[in-house]
Amino acid sequence: MGGRSLKQTFSREEYSLPVATNPINLGNSDLSNKSSKPKTSSYKHKWTLFVVLFVALLSGGLGAGLAFVLSSRPFQQRQLSTDEAAVFNRNSNGMTSAIAGVPTLTRPVNILVLGTIILTSDLPDAQSKPKGKYLAEVDDNLNGMSDAMLLIRFDPATQKVAVLSIPRDTRVDIQGVGKTKINFANYAGGAPLSAQTVSQVLGDIPIDRYIRFNVNGFGKLVDALGGVDVYVPKKMKYQDDSQHLYINLNAGQQKLNGSKAIQYMRYRHDDLGDIGRVQRQQAFFRAFIDQKLKPEAITKFPEILAIVKDNIDTNLSVEEVLALAGYTSKIDRKNIQMHMAPGRFSNPGEFDSLSYWILDNRRLTKVMSQSFGIIKKADAGLEESTPQNLRIAIQDSMSQPEGSKKATTVLSKAGYAQVFSASDRWTKPLAKTQIVAQSGDRESAEKLREALGIGEVVIESTGDIESDITVRVGKDWLEANNIPLKPVKPTQLKQQR
């Protein structure tokens, strides 16, 4: 890496790197830079065939090329070596089959999703640019560090989608590199090394496919879809001239365009650092799913394809893409579960001057067992979730402490022994109380809902990070307990809509 040590690389809050090499062979620790090879003409030819045949498929012109187009992988940027491909071929059973001529998922599928970023200032031919109020630009390059890392499980048997966010600062052992942050795996060895590392960390879970997308391309996709309405909980402002990184978002409900969406998901300059960023990514992706995964999005298909083909790398075939799209379009949004790999922040000086997210393997094993089908012998020794040992955070969204006090009293009487106030209040007023299963334990969250007699269970990791379950007290709780509502300011009324 141009003579820079790992310690030097990770000493910055955001990582500026030279252009990543072509992914190394698994286990090879040679990280010396080489010139990236341009896309070959065969890739362009394959993409052209895909477009032509896909249009024929949609129009009913099913010719001899149908089998070819369904099995082709037009979004894959380079051919994997035999060893690299083997990482994704541990399950020999086919993922899809044609039911009434429509590609359909036939078994649970695990897909690793990596959002990568390289700043233009990191490129060898980078030129200095005048200071300006714009988000740091990134080249259409997929070989940088992963700014977002998600493992997604699509399970046709349960009709659920489970998403596990892995903080980029997670300390792991990367083959051929050693102990470092997990986001370095993509830079060192591309998607195969990232998948191998994630699999080992998560109990040897098989990873069937990968998707890498360029952060800049994701911003273009958001623009193509007309932006996403998101609640920004507080003013977010950060400036780093060395990276041309400028974040400036006001608090409140607003429609984020592509540039602002990236700012929202990259912001990490608060007490929660990288974990706060993971929570915002989850909030954004849930809003994106709710607002944009709708039939009318098909009208944007040509524009989406034009963006995707230049900003994505995946070993999914056309048939597999169609099967996943069909499955996702029919899924009940309540069956999309969002988890975060549980852990803790490293202590000052614990690993020199570097900051890491240290995984809690006991709690991680429970998440993998409940939502990802990884059963280990150690599961038998896991502590059973009971009202006595569950950590319950009460988070006020209505600026009325009486509601939180009442919820604490009710839960304490129901046997919940570890009830505490969340470190921060939820600044968006909620019409309906939320029961956030922070640790992914839906069963315990449902039981707590019964104790309260009110609320909506949500499986995501946007609650208090010290809790197993976070209760966000909403307007319905105040009304049900005859607690007078305080006058709501006009800005709060807008936020509730």
Side-chain angles (χ1 to χ4, degrees):
M1 296 189 298
R4 295 169 65 185
S5 67
L6 283 177
K7 183 173 181 179
Q8 289 173 321
T9 300
F10 291 127
S11 64
R12 298 179 57 173
E13 286 188 307
E14 304 285 347
Y15 314 132
S16 296
L17 295 173
V19 170
T21 66
N22 290 328
I24 61 174
N25 292 328
L26 296 179
N28 184 349
S29 59
D30 178 13
L31 301 181
S32 59
N33 286 289
K34 302 174 184 176
S35 299
S36 298
K37 295 180 180 179
K39 297 177 184 178
T40 63
S41 58
S42 62
Y43 166 76
K44 294 179 180 178
H45 179 64
K46 183 167 60 174
W47 171 254
T48 302
L49 279 175
F50 165 72
V51 173
V52 172
L53 292 173
F54 190 78
V55 171
L57 175 63
L58 291 179
S59 63
L62 306 182
L66 178 59
F68 168 78
V69 73
L70 288 178
S71 62
S72 68
R73 297 177 176 178
F75 302 107
Q76 190 166 21
Q77 302 291 353
R78 73 174 185 90
Q79 189 73 30
L80 299 181
S81 70
T82 301
D83 288 343
E84 290 172 329
V87 174
F88 304 100
N89 293 328
R90 290 171 54 188
N91 192 330
S92 58
N93 296 325
M95 289 170 45
T96 63
S97 66
I99 298 179
V102 178
T104 306
L105 286 184
T106 56
R107 64 168 176 83
V109 175
N110 301 317
I111 298 178
L112 180 65
V113 179
L114 303 171
T116 68
I117 185 166
I118 289 184
L119 305 179
T120 51
S121 55
D122 297 333
L123 302 175
D125 58 351
Q127 299 178 356
S128 60
K129 296 184 178 181
K131 179 179 177 180
K133 296 295 182 181
Y134 56 86
L135 183 70
E137 298 176 18
V138 293
D139 189 62
D140 295 334
N141 189 307
L142 296 162
N143 295 324
M145 292 199 184
S146 51
D147 211 52
M149 180 176 284
L150 309 171
L151 180 66
I152 306 179
R153 181 177 177 85
F154 302 85
D155 191 343
T158 62
Q159 286 296 298
K160 292 181 180 179
V161 175
V163 182
L164 180 70
S165 297
I166 305 172
R168 70 175 199 170
D169 290 344
T170 300
R171 181 176 167 83
V172 297
D173 190 354
I174 300 177
Q175 182 178 335
V177 176
K179 294 280 189 180
T180 187
K181 298 185 179 186
I182 198 167
N183 70 334
F184 188 71
N186 185 68
Y187 179 78
L193 186 58
S194 294
Q196 182 188 70
T197 304
V198 169
S199 176
Q200 292 171 349
V201 169
L202 302 182
D204 200 32
I205 186 172
I207 296 178
D208 299 290
R209 298 290 184 267
Y210 72 86
I211 300 173
R212 296 194 300 171
F213 66 87
N214 176 271
V215 171
N216 190 37
F218 184 76
K220 294 177 183 176
L221 179 62
V222 171
D223 284 335
L225 292 173
V228 177
D229 288 310
V230 173
Y231 180 77
V232 180
K234 59 186 176 184
K235 184 173 180 60
M236 297 179 181
K237 190 174 180 63
Y238 177 74
Q239 177 174 325
D240 186 340
D241 294 337
S242 67
Q243 301 180 68
H244 301 155
L245 175 59
Y246 302 98
I247 296 175
N248 190 5
L249 298 175
N250 292 320
Q253 190 74 30
Q254 55 197 281
K255 176 167 286 189
L256 300 181
N257 61 19
S259 174
K260 290 184 176 180
I262 296 173
Q263 292 180 43
Y264 174 76
M265 290 190 290
R266 290 195 67 196
Y267 182 77
R268 61 177 292 181
H269 302 280
D270 54 19
D271 291 341
L272 293 180
D274 189 41
I275 303 308
R277 170 161 42 190
V278 169
Q279 292 183 327
R280 283 183 286 277
Q281 289 173 353
Q282 288 195 358
F284 183 88
F285 287 137
R286 187 172 288 281
F288 183 89
I289 290 168
D290 289 341
Q291 298 171 34
K292 302 304 175 182
L293 290 189
K294 296 180 180 180
E296 51 265 33
I298 193 66
T299 61
K300 301 280 188 178
F301 190 71
E303 190 173 356
I304 292 172
L305 277 182
I307 294 169
V308 165
K309 73 181 181 66
D310 291 328
N311 295 281
I312 199 170
D313 171 34
T314 178
N315 58 348
L316 285 164
S317 70
V318 173
E319 181 175 11
E320 291 163 353
V321 169
L322 294 176
L324 288 169
Y327 176 81
T328 305
S329 67
K330 299 174 184 176
I331 199 75
D332 187 334
R333 297 297 184 263
K334 293 181 180 179
N335 286 335
I336 298 178
Q337 305 175 355
M338 294 190 175
H339 308 269
M340 180 180 69
R344 64 173 176 84
F345 294 107
S346 60
N347 298 317
E350 186 175 359
F351 300 102
D352 296 325
S353 60
L354 303 182
S355 175
Y356 291 98
W357 182 248
I358 308 302
L359 293 175
D360 182 331
N361 289 318
R362 182 186 65 83
R363 293 166 59 199
L364 179 59
T365 295
K366 189 169 185 177
V367 171
M368 298 307 296
S369 174
Q370 290 183 338
S371 299
F372 291 86
I374 300 300
I375 308 299
K376 301 175 71 174
K377 293 181 180 179
D379 288 355
L382 288 176
E383 184 179 25
E384 182 182 357
S385 297
T386 66
Q388 289 73 34
N389 61 36
L390 285 171
R391 300 166 299 169
I392 312 299
I394 307 297
Q395 193 171 41
D396 177 29
S397 81
M398 300 298 295
S399 297
Q400 292 188 239
E402 297 88 345
S404 296
K405 291 179 181 177
K406 180 65 175 180
T408 299
T409 299
V410 170
L411 291 175
S412 296
K413 289 182 178 179
Y416 290 90
Q418 300 184 55
V419 184
F420 61 94
S421 296
S423 56
D424 295 303
R425 66 174 295 270
W426 191 251
T427 55
K428 179 181 181 180
L430 298 175
K432 182 180 291 187
T433 296
Q434 291 183 345
I435 315 297
V436 182
Q438 176 72 15
S439 63
D441 189 346
R442 174 183 283 277
E443 183 178 349
S444 294
E446 293 284 2
K447 289 180 179 178
L448 186 143
R449 184 199 176 284
E450 292 176 8
L452 282 179
I454 205 167
E456 172 190 23
V457 172
V458 180
I459 311 297
E460 59 186 34
S461 298
T462 59
D464 190 292
I465 66 170
E466 298 296 331
S467 73
D468 295 306
I469 300 173
T470 295
V471 178
R472 289 191 185 127
V473 177
K475 180 181 178 181
D476 57 346
W477 175 257
L478 302 183
E479 293 175 338
N481 288 279
N482 299 314
I483 299 174
L485 295 172
K486 293 181 179 179
V488 180
K489 298 178 181 179
T491 53
Q492 290 179 307
L493 281 172
K494 183 179 180 180
Q495 291 168 0
Q496 294 183 68
R497 293 177 185 142

